[in-house]
Amino acid sequence: MTAATHSTLFPRVPDSADAVLEGLDPEQRAVATALHGPVCVLAGAGTGKTRAITHRIAYGVRAGILQPSSVLAVTFTNRAAGEMRGRLRQLGAVGVQARTFHSAALRQLQYFWPKAVGGPLPRLVDRKIQLVADAAAACRIRLDRGELRDVTAEIEWSKVTQTVPADYTAATAKAGRETPRDPAEIAQLYAAYEDLKRERSVIDFEDVLLLTVAVLQDRHDIAEQVRAQYQHFVVDEYQDVSPLQQRLLELWLGDRENLCVVGDASQTIYSFTGATPDHLLDFRVRHPGATVVKLVRDYRSTPQVVRLANGLLAQAKGRAADHRLELVSQRPAGPEPVFTEYTDEPAEAEGAARRIRELIGSGVPASEIAVLFRTNSQSETYEQALADAGVPYQLRGAERFFDRPEVRNAITALRAAARFGGNDALLDDAPDLPSQVRAVLSGKGWTPQPPAGSGAVRESWESLAALAHLAQDFAVANAGATLADLVVELDERAGAQHAPTVQGVTLASLHAAKGLEWDVVFLVGVAEGMMPITYAKTDEQIEEERRLLYVGVTRAREHLHLSWALARSPGGRANRRPSRFLTGLRPGSQAVAGRAGAAGAGAVERGSWTAAATAVPEQAPRRRQRTPARCRVCGRTLTDGGEMKLMRCEDCPSDMDEGLYERLREWRGEQARRSGQPAFCVFTDKTLIAIAEAVPDDEHELARIPGVGMRKLRRYGADVLALCAGRDPAEGQDQD
């Protein structure tokens, strides 16, 4: 869900260089026409920075000032690079290279390695965590799964900050970096990791940049060859560059200054990976004659959302805060942000799912709604709540659209139909392009109405539906277009990874949501300990957490919901409080600061806060867990959502009743068939395992199992308890 795919209409290619500039505001036009010398664009959220820089490149190409093959535009994600390529193609700037830093470096490294070093480039490992595990074994250091991830992250940070193993301890002390283990121990693991790579003749992701830098530094002839190829550079999200990426950029540039950088210090949220806004903030120091343009007209969000975003930054401190941009909304007024307080996290998830279902029922497309959270571990609760509510969802970071099997198969079928359509009876009753596409897709599982529930079947249908919508828009924009024309368009989009919109509510971490936008955004878990996160201790870390919330707020176009829970689990101690970042921004925040809880379900006050306590029927059982969840086998504190559902570590032995588990699976399959929804919407596998391990005797015991909410207890409780008692479930218990 990106700005490029929010509308899938296909604008016509501008017929001249001047036509490229049409529709730009004065500041965007200033960016587009500043084609010489260093240029720094300070662009706030939603101000059209990608529009400005792609029009800048296209204007230069169309005016004959820039040669397409001499331009290299770099950004940080494949999605952003694909979006940029798609926009440039629509503007008639074909041939411009738009890549990530790593993609551009890898291409150069593969080409020059035989000349610079000799022989083929060593194999690139996809995931370094197994190598880290092997290094730990070689050092006789035992790491659990969480520690493996943490140590891997430390190695990545070391490499992008150009820190060698011998300097790691001193570098972390200088940076004030909290390390997951003793720094000397991590340095030892880092050194062993590097030794293993050399022994196995492999390189990792960060090596691609390091080796490219080394080749360009050591071989001036190769550096000059690269500089002869690329004369003009554009860097998006410049606030996120690491010292290593900055060094590579300097080597690409040489002594030239044909560089345009775009960024916003207030959106620096990746410092843990080595990113720093200093290069952006110091740009005019390094380039005294630079043209600086500020983009502050916000075309994305309503004045109400922008007011909250500006309010967050108004309380910020530090160097990035000193350079904050005051956004000015260009949209009509919209609803005030809604602040809601819940008694516990499951109630918060159920409340969000309920509101989302209402929004979809009122006509808001599911693809225009997002639930954003601080950590990935929060995802499962919302996946379960949305599944329970019958709301389709997609996890951000899943397989890329054009890589999905159903999409590849559909495009193959469309290509075959385009080639032999005259002899295909399937197309006899399809007079136009959209109906032809629908006819072909119907043979691949697409139907006019979506399947019930969510899961793999629904996701596949959503992918095919996105192709059908894209065909409709293509036909509207291109009168007389044929199936063959559409196949060409799809091939070009696949090459650019310019995907159409897929239906389904987006679940994403705040970090993963960077660069995206939706009509409706739910920011959940906005409580102390989560926002800012517990381990954020220093002023710099706290300010980055504030910027992370700012990024979340500015993802919303119109509707913004912020919520928090007073307790982690039902019946738990209500000792949480709203995030300090909201103090003075949510109406009545001073009055309700430090609230112990809410006595009952309150009414929603738009532009105010809502105490949404969960109303529980008197006869309903309640869980009374007041202590952290601990493994019932080894006693370790549990943090993983799946392990909390089982109430034991994944690796601890299970005492599951295998026979009961199989009976529950068979029963679940029958329930799914009757209701026409995926099996996990009845109960997930982990919930079935937890039931088969606990073998509850009554509703109170069943209700204590995570994943068995009140709705499912009412619907399925009698059947499940009957199965646990060794009886056949009563007929009709699956009905509401």
Side-chain angles (χ1 to χ4, degrees):
M1 186 63 232
T2 69
T5 60
H6 172 52
S7 172
T8 55
L9 291 176
F10 298 77
R12 297 187 183 280
V13 175
D15 56 13
S16 67
D18 288 340
V20 172
L21 301 177
E22 292 177 3
L24 300 181
D25 68 30
E27 294 78 23
Q28 292 171 343
R29 182 180 285 257
V31 172
T33 54
L35 295 173
H36 300 287
V39 177
C40 179
V41 183
L42 302 176
T47 58
K49 68 177 179 64
T50 306
R51 175 180 174 83
I53 59 175
T54 52
H55 280 68
R56 178 181 188 271
I57 295 170
Y59 177 71
V61 169
R62 300 294 297 276
I65 300 171
L66 304 177
Q67 293 300 314
S69 61
S70 72
V71 179
L72 177 60
V74 288
T75 186
F76 286 82
T77 65
N78 288 318
R79 180 200 58 77
E83 177 183 336
M84 192 176 291
R85 288 193 294 270
R87 291 199 186 195
L88 289 169
R89 183 167 57 85
Q90 291 174 351
L91 292 170
V94 179
V96 174
Q97 293 293 312
R99 296 179 175 275
T100 64
F101 271 101
H102 286 85
S103 173
L106 181 59
R107 195 179 189 205
Q108 293 173 17
L109 198 59
Q110 289 170 330
Y111 183 81
F112 289 112
W113 186 266
K115 178 179 179 180
V117 181
L121 182 69
R123 180 174 63 86
L124 178 65
V125 294
D126 294 330
R127 298 177 69 249
K128 58 174 68 69
I129 199 162
Q130 184 57 54
L131 270 173
V132 176
D134 293 345
C139 296
R140 300 181 182 276
I141 296 174
R142 188 175 182 277
L143 301 176
D144 62 26
R145 286 173 297 173
E147 289 172 323
L148 269 175
R149 289 193 296 267
D150 291 342
V151 170
T152 300
E154 286 302 299
I155 291 174
E156 291 172 350
W157 173 83
S158 300
K159 301 183 80 164
V160 300
T161 55
Q162 300 177 300
T163 302
V164 297
D167 296 337
Y168 173 79
T169 301
T172 54
K174 182 178 179 180
R177 188 175 180 87
E178 291 189 15
T179 58
R181 293 179 73 98
D182 179 77
E185 198 171 54
I186 294 178
Q188 181 187 1
L189 288 166
Y190 180 14
Y193 169 82
E194 292 296 315
D195 290 341
L196 272 179
K197 284 199 293 119
R198 281 189 289 271
E199 291 173 12
R200 300 178 184 181
S201 297
V202 297
I203 59 175
D204 63 25
F205 203 53
E206 289 71 38
D207 288 332
V208 171
L209 299 185
L210 284 164
L211 292 171
T212 305
V213 165
V215 168
L216 295 179
Q217 284 181 158
D218 295 344
R219 293 290 300 267
H220 296 291
D221 57 330
I222 293 177
E224 288 306 316
Q225 193 173 340
V226 172
R227 292 165 191 162
Q229 169 69 49
Y230 296 115
Q231 304 288 325
H232 198 96
F233 297 86
V234 177
V235 184
D236 194 13
E237 304 288 3
Y238 193 55
Q239 77 278 353
D240 289 332
V241 295
S242 68
L244 179 56
Q245 289 164 331
Q246 176 64 22
R247 180 58 185 146
L248 178 58
L249 179 61
E250 291 168 354
L251 288 166
W252 281 340
L253 274 169
D255 58 2
R256 300 166 300 174
E257 288 200 318
N258 286 328
L259 170 66
C260 173
V261 301
V262 189
D264 178 10
S266 296
Q267 296 188 67
T268 305
I269 58 174
Y270 297 107
S271 66
F272 61 91
T273 67
T276 170
D278 290 344
H279 304 300
L280 175 67
L281 299 178
D282 292 337
F283 190 82
R284 280 179 288 184
V285 176
R286 296 194 311 276
H287 305 278
T291 299
V292 179
V293 182
K294 294 183 179 181
L295 303 182
V296 296
R297 300 175 196 246
D298 188 323
Y299 296 96
R300 176 189 300 159
S301 304
T302 62
Q304 287 75 14
V305 173
V306 167
R307 187 181 306 121
L308 179 59
N310 285 337
L312 278 172
L313 292 188
Q315 301 177 11
K317 303 172 184 177
R319 191 178 183 209
D322 293 339
H323 294 79
R324 64 181 177 270
L325 299 169
E326 186 85 10
L327 299 177
V328 181
S329 176
Q330 306 298 298
R331 293 194 55 184
E336 291 288 344
V338 176
F339 301 83
T340 310
E341 184 176 274
Y342 292 91
T343 55
D344 52 65
E345 287 183 3
E348 185 179 11
E350 290 170 9
R354 185 169 55 252
R355 290 190 180 186
I356 289 170
R357 187 170 58 185
E358 292 169 355
L359 286 165
I360 294 173
S362 69
V364 178
S367 60
E368 287 294 353
I369 304 173
V371 179
L372 307 181
F373 33 75
R374 177 59 180 86
T375 66
N376 286 320
S377 63
Q378 295 168 271
S379 171
E380 186 179 16
T381 303
Y382 289 88
E383 291 179 57
Q384 185 69 57
L386 290 173
D388 288 349
V391 175
Y393 63 85
Q394 54 180 331
L395 288 169
R396 177 68 189 153
E399 191 174 27
R400 295 190 296 183
F401 182 84
F402 287 104
D403 291 338
R404 298 174 187 173
E406 66 271 17
V407 173
R408 292 201 304 269
N409 292 338
I411 293 177
T412 299
L414 290 169
R415 183 176 290 108
R419 188 176 302 158
F420 306 111
N423 299 317
D424 192 340
L426 188 65
L427 304 183
D428 288 347
D429 297 324
D432 55 22
L433 176 60
S435 59
Q436 291 170 2
V437 171
R438 290 193 293 269
V440 173
L441 295 182
S442 66
K444 296 297 177 182
W446 179 82
T447 57
Q449 297 300 320
S454 53
V457 173
R458 177 61 183 249
E459 289 174 4
S460 177
W461 183 91
E462 297 287 0
S463 297
L464 299 180
L467 289 175
H469 290 308
L470 186 145
Q472 180 71 43
D473 290 340
F474 185 72
V476 170
N478 300 273
T482 65
L483 202 52
D485 296 328
L486 177 64
V487 169
V488 171
E489 174 66 29
L490 290 173
D491 286 342
E492 291 179 350
R493 280 182 163 238
Q497 284 299 331
H498 181 192
T501 301
V502 176
Q503 293 297 314
V505 173
T506 299
L507 294 176
S509 70
L510 286 164
H511 283 102
K514 179 73 168 62
L516 306 177
E517 58 186 74
W518 298 269
D519 284 346
V520 185
V521 169
F522 287 78
L523 290 175
V524 298
V526 191
E528 285 293 308
M530 194 61 74
M531 182 60 65
I533 199 76
T534 304
Y535 54 74
K537 304 294 186 184
T538 67
D539 290 343
E540 291 80 5
Q541 291 168 338
I542 295 294
E543 287 307 313
E544 180 146 339
E545 293 290 299
R546 186 193 305 276
R547 293 194 296 270
L548 191 55
L549 182 58
Y550 171 80
V551 166
V553 167
T554 55
R555 300 310 94 195
R557 296 194 191 103
E558 186 170 0
H559 297 276
L560 179 61
H561 298 256
L562 300 96
S563 62
W564 59 92
L566 297 174
R568 180 170 188 170
S569 56
R573 184 177 302 167
N575 58 357
R576 292 182 176 179
R577 55 190 177 89
S579 169
R580 70 190 75 173
F581 300 145
L582 299 182
T583 301
L585 298 177
R586 57 188 180 91
S589 58
Q590 297 296 335
V592 299
R595 287 173 55 90
V604 174
E605 293 181 33
R606 301 296 171 179
S608 182
W609 69 279
T610 308
T614 50
V616 182
E618 290 183 6
Q619 71 275 17
R622 296 184 61 190
R623 244 189 307 166
R624 300 189 178 279
Q625 180 180 342
R626 295 180 178 274
T627 57
R630 297 187 183 278
C631 174
R632 53 189 170 79
V633 179
C634 69
R636 183 178 70 86
T637 300
L638 303 176
T639 56
D640 178 77
E643 292 182 343
M644 291 174 67
K645 185 165 287 188
L646 296 175
M647 290 307 293
R648 64 172 173 81
C649 304
E650 193 79 46
D651 299 331
C652 284
S654 169
D655 54 356
M656 180 175 70
D657 183 329
E658 297 283 354
L660 174 57
Y661 178 68
E662 290 305 320
R663 293 196 299 275
L664 287 167
R665 281 177 57 85
E666 291 177 8
W667 167 83
R668 181 183 67 173
E670 179 60 28
Q671 297 301 315
R673 283 190 292 274
R674 291 186 186 181
S675 61
Q677 61 182 344
F680 75 84
C681 289
V682 180
F683 284 119
T684 64
D685 285 345
K686 278 197 167 60
T687 299
L688 292 188
I689 292 172
I691 293 171
E693 289 181 346
V695 193
D697 290 327
D698 54 38
E699 286 190 347
H700 288 269
E701 292 182 4
L702 180 58
R704 292 192 184 99
I705 297 174
V708 182
M710 292 307 303
R711 178 172 170 269
K712 291 190 176 184
L713 185 66
R714 288 192 295 268
R715 186 170 188 177
Y716 302 124
D719 280 10
V720 171
L721 291 173
L723 287 165
C724 290
R727 304 190 306 270
D728 290 332
E731 292 293 330
Q733 290 295 327
D734 60 305
Q735 301 300 316
D736 281 328

